[in-house]
Amino acid sequence: MKVSQEDVKKVAHLARLEMPESKLGEMQDSINKVLVWMEALNSVDTTSVEPLVHMTSALNHFREDEGKLTLDRAKALALGPDTNDTYFKVPQVIE
């Protein structure tokens, strides 16, 4: 399958791309090269190949979500510039 310059203009319009006339031939050649490559891939016999779900056999190993105290409240509040006994004080952002 070969694309024409009219096809390139249509695809550029659908993709909302500004395509100057001087670049149409270059883009047409690029698209045709991709299509030739895809035709070569289509000619490969893949009947005995299992479809891939992931590119590697590695799996995510998730840990259990366990809540635990990692920083004491007093230590955390000591890090803030303006605090009271319970909270950080911040400037009011909603009136």
Side-chain angles (χ1 to χ4, degrees), residues 23 30 33 52 63 68 84 91:
K23 294 287 185 180
S30 294
K33 285 179 185 176
L52 288 176
R63 63 174 172 81
K68 54 185 170 182
N84 63 16

Side-chain angles (χ1 to χ4, degrees), residues 56-81:
T56 66
S57 60
L59 298 174
N60 288 329
H61 298 285
F62 296 108
R63 63 174 172 81
E64 291 295 320
D65 190 15
E66 301 171 355
K68 54 185 170 182
L69 293 175
T70 57
L71 185 61
D72 180 63
R73 179 186 296 257
K75 289 179 183 178
L77 289 172
L79 299 173

Side-chain angles (χ1 to χ4, degrees), residues 22-85:
S22 61
K23 294 287 185 180
L24 285 177
E26 182 181 334
M27 185 59 65
Q28 181 184 6
D29 291 340
S30 294
I31 293 172
N32 283 326
K33 285 179 185 176
V34 170
L35 291 175
V36 167
W37 181 67
M38 292 301 295
E39 288 173 6
L41 288 178
N42 285 335
S43 68
V44 175
D45 180 24
T46 59
T47 54
S48 62
V49 178
E50 290 287 324
L52 288 176
V53 176
H54 298 284
M55 294 303 294
T56 66
S57 60
L59 298 174
N60 288 329
H61 298 285
F62 296 108
R63 63 174 172 81
E64 291 295 320
D65 190 15
E66 301 171 355
K68 54 185 170 182
L69 293 175
T70 57
L71 185 61
D72 180 63
R73 179 186 296 257
K75 289 179 183 178
L77 289 172
L79 299 173
D82 191 13
T83 62
N84 63 16
D85 292 335

